[in-house]
Amino acid sequence: MDSGRAADRKHGPGTSAPGVSRGGSRGGSPEPGRGAAEGHGSRPTAGSGTPAPGRGAAHGAHAADGRHRARAWEEARAIAERAGRTAGGDPALRAESVPLDRALGRALAAALTALTDLPSFDTSAMDGWAVSGPGPWTVRSAPGSSSDAENSAGDSVRGTAEDSGILAGQAAAAPLPDGSAVRIATGARIPPEVTAVIRSEHARTDSGGRLHAEREVAPGQDIRPRGQECRSGDRLLPAGSLVTPAVLGLAAAAGYDELLTVPQPRVEVLVLGDELLTKGLPHDGLIRDALGPMLGPWLRGLGAEVLATRRIGDDADALHRAITGSEADLVITTGGTAAGPVDHVHPVLRKAGAELLVDGVAVRPGHPMLLAKLDGQPRHLVGLPGNPLAAVSGLLTLAEPLLRALAGRSPRVPYRVPLRDAVHGHPYDTRLVPVVHRDEGLVPLHFNGPAMLRGIAAADGLAVVPPGGARPGEELEVLDLPWTASADGPLEGVSRETGCFT
């Protein structure tokens, strides 16, 4: 990560004040009309304004007013998603069947359909009494078994087992006669002719051994009927669904030992900057690398297999070798995306023959981000700014939609939430602001500058703020963070209340 690079190192006049990190933009001046806090490093072109290879005339050059014509935020995300779909091809052609314990974090390559009814037989929802017909009921041993009363010679061990009634895992019992009751455990199979289950705490037995209900008994109460959750052949989840721990449980319950999934895209992270420390306190102009420890786990949360996180430093030749020699589907670099004296990403991409699909995005923080297709290969590179929150912005703007498509996952379902507090906007660009969810709406967090992680560390997500800002009560789109909520939206068939509370 290039975060925290001292501004007085390799910066010319007009750059951000000392103490503001380079954000992947050493040598860049603020764009006209933009504040220094987020304007530094806003020239993502390499060189004197001549478009790099692969840039369109309207995209790669500078406008007459000096402002770089970066992609709109929504357009940049759409380009990244299309690039991933194209590179990934048909997920069904890449699918592989893996055991359940290897499927976590992958996407389903085919719809998950039930291989059995759930439950596969009528079961008791509670510990209590299975009863047949109206009460009071004569207490019996488990249907089909002998009891101490019927066989006084039975030993105490057998009597104890019979007193426990019908247990989970036992085979089907004989029908329960009308007017009878038998103890039953949660999850046990319901015998034929049972009217209801009465919870243990809602019943009593008298001195004559008859069972009395202390509350009204409704037919079918506390019985989970066969097929209540699904019938064999029902579609439980669509293709493209993320395999979470809960999905693994559902698949096991539905009869699966293996799942047909799409392999996770492989990612390699290249951390640039000679000034970065891997341990200890900052000293003598050196700062801690915050992106190296953060990006790997974050990318895994986005469904990627992280092959390695490598520290390259400010070495153009080493960067070229790392990019062209990588076996990853996606290479991610940190910093070096502008036009400073040691910002090598653009020159290296030109040398490698890469096509720039996105070269700058009209978003704050993070505008010097880029997306490139590596020459002659279905592989891509996402260049993140070096400032920490700017890098997070690049992850969610370019890497997340690209990885989602490569992984065969369904497109993210956007949602909007009203603001509790007003939030300032950039004059021209979209802003991504850390927020938390509260009952009264979204609350923007402080410490949301490009070089800061304190806000995002406490956030539930990032609010997408349009140019000019937003007022209290205005609804904004929210980008969830991988660890705070599902980013896939509601699942099929779970929007209606089933009426089962046990």
Side-chain angles (χ1 to χ4, degrees):
M1 175 192 87
D2 297 273
S3 67
R5 182 179 293 247
D8 58 355
R9 179 181 177 220
K10 307 172 188 173
H11 278 270
T15 56
S16 54
V20 178
S21 53
R22 64 167 174 160
S25 53
R26 291 166 290 184
S29 301
E31 297 171 5
R34 301 188 182 187
E38 294 191 75
H40 69 286
S42 53
R43 298 182 346 197
T45 53
S48 61
T50 302
R55 300 182 201 174
H59 168 53
H62 290 269
D65 64 358
R67 295 185 67 245
H68 180 69
R69 290 182 177 175
R71 298 280 189 179
W73 181 76
E74 297 87 349
E75 180 188 12
R77 284 180 59 82
I79 291 171
E81 194 273 339
R82 287 197 300 271
R85 297 285 173 205
T86 300
D90 184 355
L93 299 179
R94 298 186 287 127
E96 60 181 9
S97 187
V98 296
L100 294 184
D101 61 2
R102 288 179 49 204
L104 184 67
R106 294 187 173 209
L108 294 176
L112 186 73
T113 57
L115 302 180
T116 182
D117 295 346
L118 287 180
S120 54
F121 44 80
D122 295 348
T123 61
S124 177
M126 301 295 294
D127 293 330
W129 299 89
V131 298
S132 178
W137 300 270
T138 301
V139 175
R140 302 171 58 92
S141 61
S145 68
S146 59
S147 68
D148 288 349
E150 296 168 323
N151 184 1
S152 57
D155 59 34
S156 59
V157 174
R158 185 178 62 188
T160 301
E162 290 165 352
D163 288 345
S164 63
I166 306 172
L167 302 177
Q170 292 180 344
L176 186 64
D178 191 51
S180 300
V182 63
R183 285 193 178 277
I184 192 165
T186 301
R189 189 167 187 163
I190 296 290
E193 310 302 330
V194 167
T195 303
V197 170
I198 304 174
R199 303 183 186 193
S200 297
E201 61 269 26
H202 297 163
R204 62 177 178 83
T205 54
D206 60 24
S207 58
R210 292 173 65 79
L211 182 74
H212 299 263
E214 296 184 331
R215 298 188 181 185
E216 182 178 355
V217 178
Q221 75 178 28
D222 286 327
I223 294 176
R224 295 186 178 121
R226 176 174 181 168
Q228 181 188 52
E229 186 170 359
C230 65
R231 289 290 185 180
S232 180
D234 283 354
R235 189 164 89 155
L236 306 177
L237 293 171
S241 296
L242 178 66
V243 179
T244 64
V247 171
L248 292 176
L250 175 63
Y256 286 86
D257 299 318
E258 297 183 338
L259 287 175
L260 191 65
T261 62
V262 181
Q264 293 176 301
R266 300 166 301 167
V267 179
E268 186 170 14
V269 179
L270 306 179
V271 179
L272 312 184
D274 289 340
E275 75 280 22
L276 302 178
L277 296 169
T278 59
K279 62 182 179 179
L281 296 175
H283 61 86
D284 301 324
L286 302 178
I287 60 170
R288 281 296 298 270
D289 170 25
L291 287 183
M294 182 177 75
L295 287 180
W298 198 307
L299 290 163
R300 293 184 189 99
L302 294 177
E305 177 189 354
V306 180
L307 300 180
T309 297
R310 300 170 55 192
R311 291 171 173 81
I312 301 297
D314 291 323
D315 185 329
D317 291 336
L319 178 60
H320 182 269
R321 290 192 299 270
I323 290 174
T324 56
S326 176
E327 297 182 354
D329 302 302
L330 172 64
V331 176
I332 289 183
T333 61
T334 67
T337 55
V342 289
D343 289 337
H344 298 307
V345 174
H346 278 93
V348 165
L349 289 176
R350 285 199 298 272
K351 181 179 178 181
E355 177 188 2
L356 281 171
L357 305 178
V358 174
D359 188 15
V361 179
V363 65
R364 300 297 167 131
H367 61 286
M369 67 182 74
L370 62 84
L371 169 63
K373 182 178 183 297
L374 299 179
D375 183 42
Q377 305 174 56
R379 300 192 300 120
H380 292 81
L381 179 142
V382 168
L384 302 178
N387 277 326
L389 188 58
V392 169
S393 175
L395 273 180
L396 297 181
T397 300
L398 297 177
E400 188 269 345
L402 178 75
L403 288 172
R404 179 181 287 273
L406 283 174
R409 290 175 60 183
S410 303
R412 187 181 69 89
V413 179
Y415 72 96
R416 304 175 73 86
V417 180
L419 274 171
R420 189 192 76 176
D421 304 331
V423 61
H424 296 295
H426 189 274
Y428 316 107
D429 298 344
T430 298
R431 279 191 73 202
L432 300 182
V433 177
V435 293
V436 292
H437 293 279
R438 295 291 182 262
D439 290 344
E440 57 271 34
L442 293 175
V443 179
L445 297 176
H446 299 295
F447 307 107
N448 54 27
M452 298 180 179
L453 283 174
R454 187 171 172 182
I456 194 67
D460 295 322
L462 290 170
V464 182
V465 181
R471 299 182 300 274
E474 188 172 343
E475 291 190 345
L476 297 182
E477 182 178 351
V478 177
L479 304 177
D480 284 327
L481 303 180
W483 51 86
T484 57
S486 170
D488 291 322
L491 299 178
E492 292 186 349
V494 297
S495 60
R496 182 171 54 85
E497 178 59 66
T498 64
C500 180
F501 301 99
T502 54

